[in-house]
Amino acid sequence: MALLQQIIQLLTEPPGTVVFHLVTLFALQAIFALALGQWRNNRSNRQAGQTAVSAAVIFLARLVLMLVGLVVSSDPDRATAVLPPLEQAVHALTAVFLIWALLPPYKKYPRLNTLLLIFTTILIGTIYLFFAQDWPAQAALNTVYNASAQASVWGIFQIAMLSIGIILLMTSAELRNSLHVVILAILLIASLVHFWNFPEIIPTQTNIAYWIRLGHLIAFPLWAVLTYQYGLSIRSRQGNWAPTHNLIPALNLFTQVIQSLQQDDILPYIIRLVRQMVNVVFVGVGVLEEGSEQTIYVSSYLSENATPHNWRLDLVDWPSFRLAFEQERGVELLPNGLGARQLYDLYDELQSGPFGAMLVQPLLAGKKRIGLLLLAKDKHEAEWSNQERTLIATIGIYVGQVLAHSQAYAAAQRGDTPLATVAQQQQLNTLTTERDKLRAELDRLRSQLLQSEAKAAQTRQQAYSLAATLEEMEREDRNEKIQALETEITTLRQSLEQAEETLAIAAASDGGLSPEWVMVTITRYSAQLEEAQALIQSLEGKLARRERGPVDEVVMLLAEELRTPITSISGYTDLMLNEAVGNVSTQQREFLQRVRANSERIGTLLDQIIQLMRVAEPAPLPQVEQADVRTAVETAVSSLITQIRDSQLRLDLHVDDNLPQLPISPHALHQIVANLLDNACRSSGKSGHVGIRAEANAIYTPGSNGHQEKLEFIHLEVSDSGGGIPVADLSRAFMPQQHSHEPLISGLGDTGAGLAVTQSLIENNGGRIWVDTEPGVGSTFSVLFPLSANGHLNGSA
């Protein structure tokens, strides 16, 4: 107990206080000199720089404290009013700068420690200015500073800062058991004892923080020892890896690298060679994945005899790797500057480090990208010198060439790079085989086409026979004639469908040919099939006139008469909606809008009924009008543009330039395109896709006189994204969709007779229409108008 009182007396009374200041200043001077020398030897040494700055600031603060104490020592009252707040501020500043010097930088935000230091220093200065003005009044009342509220504030502040510093050091596995923790722990214990200040042992009638002074006397020499040990470790590492001390081992490694051509064998030697040549603590060799420039495999080991580790990295996630390839030179990642966050992310990915500055050196063989060389310095070294960058660039050229030779050897071993003659022979064999396959395919197609021609001729003969049968039936009883004629028509239509199916099978079977081939084949024989189809339609028309001629006239008359009341209803509804006869409530407006929508729908259905009646009886007339395809498409799109925008549909429009005009009524062509586009819009729903394509094509086929005949046609496609039409419902796609006993077809937008009218208009003008559907995607309606040599539609007058 007497010894403890003597130590306290030595720290609180002259000349002991002067001795304390001199000892601490000497220790700080030694720390500053050691750290400054280390920093001057390597200016990228961040740890040495922070230590030198901290020691200098603490030294100046304590020098100011000692000089102020000497100045006011002759006046006890003035010393009591000035020194206590100043000394506590210096103790707090010492704790903060010491923590900053000992803590490693935060990975994600390497400058965060410095920012917090500046903020804390400003806070300490602000607190001191406030306390320095308030304390003289309290000192005049003989208040002991260690028992004041100000002392409590300073104590809590220092205890909090030191505790946070120790916690942060404990999170680092490398620093957990080092002198860093010991130094801060000593200052923390001294601050805790001073904060509580046991009155039964320690005299309380003093303004000096003697426990904190005792802690500084112990901590500062330990800090000097830590700085000295750090300098020795730096020199030791430099001595182990300096190129001048490892010339012979490096030459041996150069020999071992070029002795083998197996990549797995030479990678360890390359890593050892780089460690011998450059002062680094981490070496990684990354090789690009074969056939890809986006994936790289990195191999490395952290010490001379450690087991190599391998990582797989995606270049998309590492911009610095891509930049090194693009610039064809090394890219630096600095822990306190450019690329710091990416550097620490890379250390986390490799589960290594943290180390200091990293250099990413591309490995190239000419312009070919081979891989990357990853080099990292010690965590206290934050930059690369020009000499090191030049040496690493040279090593990178050598390593890139070695790896390129290894990859070329491996490719040759696998047979990926045969001799030119072998390659030419293989190409010749491939072309010969392909030629034989094409010849066999051509013979098969010719055989199928001959069968199709025979089928078409048979169908044409059946049509002529049916015409003769009809003439004979006119002399028989009416009922018997109708029954026999229906049977003949059914048989003939089935034959015609079989012929068309034969053509489709000829195009799609075995060979996997494209739909364009199917279209061209159908066009080739459309003239012959069209003649048979015209005969069938003529016979069906005669039969229809016998069966329902009066009925059609009555239906058309009723439809025309119904137009007048529907027009009146729509007109009065518009007047009420425009509030021309008075205000309309919200609910009334909703009802009126429903009335108008249904009136418009009834009008559309009446138009379709009239059109069906008019086109039901095929009576081809000479085509004197000419219709422009592009104009018809643009007009149809304009008429439906509001519907397209309301449904947020994407419209893809492709119409060839200079399309020949069709000998068809412009109104009929517009109606065909508008009905198909309306069906596509309705079936696609919201935010769907609709496409229109119109193009002219021509094919050349052998003629009867041995010359080539040119067959021209116009092809129109309208596609949708309605999910497709079920196969079971395809046969009803072109039937009127108004039968109550039949449900609406899924994937079909037409709910009336629009597609039925469209089919009639197309076939009456010598065209063909069919639908291709893909379940879950959508449907495509195709229209084909074959053109004869005189510019008319095939099958039309």
Side-chain angles (χ1 to χ4, degrees), residues 515-740:
E516 288 76 7
W517 196 93
V518 178
M519 179 187 67
V520 173
T521 306
I522 292 175
T523 305
R524 167 66 178 83
Y525 298 102
S526 61
Q528 300 175 6
L529 295 177
E530 193 63 34
E531 183 179 357
Q533 180 68 19
L535 289 174
I536 292 174
Q537 289 178 347
S538 177
L539 296 175
E540 287 178 338
K542 294 179 180 179
L543 180 60
R545 286 195 300 273
R546 289 172 178 264
E547 289 185 331
R548 56 186 179 87
V551 177
D552 288 350
E553 293 179 1
V554 173
V555 171
M556 290 183 64
L557 181 60
L558 291 176
E560 292 286 356
E561 290 297 329
L562 284 174
R563 278 182 170 180
T564 302
I566 292 300
T567 304
S568 299
I569 293 173
S570 298
Y572 286 119
T573 303
D574 289 336
L575 286 175
M576 297 179 68
L577 284 173
N578 294 330
E579 298 183 347
V581 293
N583 295 331
V584 179
S585 65
T586 302
Q587 187 175 14
Q588 290 172 340
R589 180 175 296 277
E590 181 180 352
F591 291 157
L592 289 173
Q593 288 174 346
R594 292 182 183 178
V595 171
R596 183 174 64 179
N598 284 281
S599 299
E600 293 175 352
R601 176 170 172 77
I602 293 174
T604 302
L605 294 176
L606 290 175
D607 291 339
Q608 292 178 352
I609 291 173
I610 295 172
Q611 292 169 359
L612 277 176
M613 295 300 101
R614 288 175 177 172
V615 300
E617 180 181 346
L621 297 174
Q623 298 291 337
V624 295
E625 295 182 281
Q626 297 288 328
D628 182 68
V629 178
R630 176 178 291 276
T631 302
V633 171
E634 292 176 350
T635 305
V637 171
S638 298
S639 63
L640 294 171
I641 191 63
T642 302
Q643 180 179 351
I644 294 173
R645 289 175 178 172
D646 293 342
S647 300
Q648 299 178 355
L649 297 174
R650 189 186 68 178
L651 176 63
D652 289 342
L653 187 63
H654 177 77
V655 180
D656 283 355
D657 295 330
N658 302 322
L659 286 176
Q661 290 191 337
L662 289 176
I664 185 176
S665 169
H667 176 73
L669 183 58
H670 165 74
Q671 193 169 0
I672 291 170
V673 180
N675 287 345
L676 292 176
L677 182 58
D678 178 69
N679 170 75
C681 294
R682 293 177 182 272
S683 62
S684 297
K686 289 286 188 180
S687 303
H689 168 263
V690 174
I692 303 178
R693 173 180 288 271
E695 55 188 5
N697 289 317
I699 60 173
Y700 293 88
T701 59
S704 58
N705 55 358
H707 297 288
Q708 295 287 330
E709 293 183 357
K710 182 179 181 182
L711 298 179
E712 296 179 327
F713 56 89
I714 290 181
H715 184 211
L716 174 68
E717 285 185 353
V718 180
S719 59
D720 60 63
S721 58
I725 303 173
V727 177
D729 293 329
L730 284 175
S731 60
R732 297 194 296 122
F734 296 103
M735 296 181 181
Q737 306 298 315
Q738 296 298 320
H739 300 293
S740 59

Side-chain angles (χ1 to χ4, degrees), residues 429-439:
N429 294 338
T430 302
L431 293 176
T432 303
T433 304
E434 186 68 20
R435 182 200 61 188
D436 294 339
K437 289 182 179 179
L438 291 176
R439 285 180 175 177

